Amino acid sequence: MRSELFSADNLEKESAQPGLRLQNSKLLKAELNGEFMARVGSMVAYQGQVQFEALGSGGLSKFIKQKLTGEGVPLMRVRGQGDVFLAENAADVHLIDLEPGDALSINGSNVLAFDSTLSYDIKMVGGAGMMSNSGLFNCVFSGHGRIAITTKGTPVVLTIDQPTYVDPQAAICWSANLQTGYHRAEQLGIGTLLGRSTGERFTMTFAGQGFVVVQPSEEPPGGLAGAAGGQQQSGGFLGNLLND
C-alpha cells in the first residue's frame, strides 16, 4: 500500500527518554514510564499498559476554588508504561520547561498536560478589579518539570521590558512575577454613546521582567471565571481562600 500519508513526517516519533514531547504541532506524545497529569478527555490514542484516573481539579481545596471561580483544570492521572497521544480540538501544542524558582500563570483552559512533579494553584489575577468580563483568576504552576499548553494559532512571545498591553482574551500565559493590571483602552465619548466602538474596551497591562504569550485569537477563554459568581465574591471568604 502506498500513500503520502505514510511518509516519515507522519510516522510515530520515538525517543530513548520518557516524558512529554511533540509528535507534531497539534499532537502531544507522552512516552510513559510512571505517571503524568492530563486534561480530562484529551487522550486520542495510546499503546501499552496505561491506566486513567479522573481527579476533578486535583484536591479538595482546588475543587472548592474551581467551583467558586470557574477556573481550574479538570484532570486525570495517567500512569503505567506505554505511549499516550493527546490533543485538544486540533489546537497548536507548545512545551514549556519550568525550573526551580519559575512560576507560570496560565488560563486553565489552555493546559493540556504536565509532569506530576509540578504543582499548581488557582490565584486571583492582580489588578484585574471588576473591569473585564474575561475573568479574574488563573492557574499558577511552579516547581520543576514540563507543561504542555495549547493556543489557537501560532502565538507571539512578547518580552516584557517596557509597558505592554494585551487583549485579555488573547493572553494565554505569562511569567507569574509580572505586575498585571487593566487599562481602559477606549475613551468614553459621544461616539461610544452613539454605538460606535473600537471593540477594545479594556486591555491587560504587564510590567516588570518576563514574558507573555499572545495567541492570534480573541475567543473568550473558557477556563476563566468571567462574569460568574467568582467575580462578585472576590473579597471576604473567597479572597482569603485564593490567597491560602
Side-chain angles (χ1 to χ4, degrees), residues 37-39 55-67 69-76 98 102-109 111 113-123 137-144 147 223 242 244:
M37 313 296 283
R39 170 174 291 280
L55 297 177
S57 297
L60 178 61
S61 175
K62 294 186 182 68
F63 173 79
I64 294 173
K65 290 181 181 181
Q66 183 182 38
K67 291 302 182 184
T69 66
E71 180 60 88
V73 188
L75 292 175
M76 60 183 178
L98 272 65
D102 291 341
L104 179 71
S105 181
I106 179 172
N107 177 358
S109 65
V111 175
F114 57 93
D115 289 335
S116 57
T117 54
L118 292 177
S119 60
Y120 88 96
D121 203 354
I122 300 170
K123 297 290 186 179
F137 307 97
N138 249 17
C139 295
V140 178
F141 283 82
S142 59
H144 181 264
I147 180 172
L242 294 174
D244 286 344

Side-chain angles (χ1 to χ4, degrees), residues 2-3 16 21 41 64 71 137 153 156 162 166 175 196 206 212 234:
R2 297 179 182 177
S3 170
R21 62 197 77 256
I64 294 173
E71 180 60 88
F137 307 97
V156 60
Q162 57 185 317
V166 180
S175 306
R196 302 193 190 105
F206 295 90
V212 57
S234 56

Side-chain angles (χ1 to χ4, degrees), residues 22 24 28 45 50 52 60 74 80 102 148 158-160 164 170-171 185 203 205 209 220 223 227 232-233:
L22 294 181
N24 56 49
L28 179 71
V50 181
F52 302 87
L60 178 61
D102 291 341
L158 300 178
T159 299
I160 307 302
T164 302
T203 59
T205 64
Q209 298 293 319
Q232 301 168 2
Q233 307 176 50

Side-chain angles (χ1 to χ4, degrees), residues 22-228:
L22 294 181
Q23 168 65 27
N24 56 49
S25 65
K26 299 182 184 298
L27 198 61
L28 179 71
K29 180 183 180 182
E31 300 189 8
L32 180 61
N33 185 17
E35 69 174 39
F36 70 98
M37 313 296 283
R39 170 174 291 280
V40 167
S42 61
M43 185 275 293
V44 295
Y46 73 92
Q47 296 175 308
Q49 302 299 316
V50 181
Q51 296 179 328
F52 302 87
E53 177 188 357
L55 297 177
S57 297
L60 178 61
S61 175
K62 294 186 182 68
F63 173 79
I64 294 173
K65 290 181 181 181
Q66 183 182 38
K67 291 302 182 184
L68 289 173
T69 66
E71 180 60 88
V73 188
L75 292 175
M76 60 183 178
R77 177 182 286 115
V78 186
R79 58 173 46 156
Q81 292 184 322
D83 296 327
V84 183
F85 297 87
L86 304 104
E88 183 70 18
N89 296 322
D92 293 332
V93 181
H94 311 273
L95 298 175
I96 300 176
D97 291 311
L98 272 65
E99 303 290 342
D102 291 341
L104 179 71
S105 181
I106 179 172
N107 177 358
S109 65
N110 294 96
V111 175
L112 181 61
F114 57 93
D115 289 335
S116 57
T117 54
L118 292 177
S119 60
Y120 88 96
D121 203 354
I122 300 170
K123 297 290 186 179
M124 187 176 296
V125 177
M130 298 182 67
M131 296 191 298
S132 173
N133 65 356
S134 59
L136 294 174
F137 307 97
N138 249 17
C139 295
V140 178
F141 283 82
S142 59
H144 181 264
R146 175 169 286 185
I147 180 172
I149 71 170
T150 60
T151 65
K152 186 171 183 181
T154 303
V156 60
V157 179
L158 300 178
T159 299
I160 307 302
D161 52 10
Q162 57 185 317
T164 302
Y165 305 86
V166 180
D167 187 305
Q169 295 178 353
I172 296 300
C173 62
W174 55 86
S175 306
N177 62 293
L178 290 176
Q179 293 85 53
T180 59
Y182 272 58
H183 170 72
R184 184 184 291 275
E186 184 179 67
Q187 299 300 315
L188 181 65
I190 187 66
T192 305
L193 296 176
L194 293 175
R196 302 193 190 105
S197 172
T198 65
E200 307 294 342
R201 295 293 182 90
F202 298 100
T203 59
M204 284 192 71
T205 64
F206 295 90
Q209 298 293 319
F211 68 89
V212 57
V213 178
V214 182
Q215 70 175 3
S217 172
E218 296 179 327
E219 290 188 356
L224 293 179

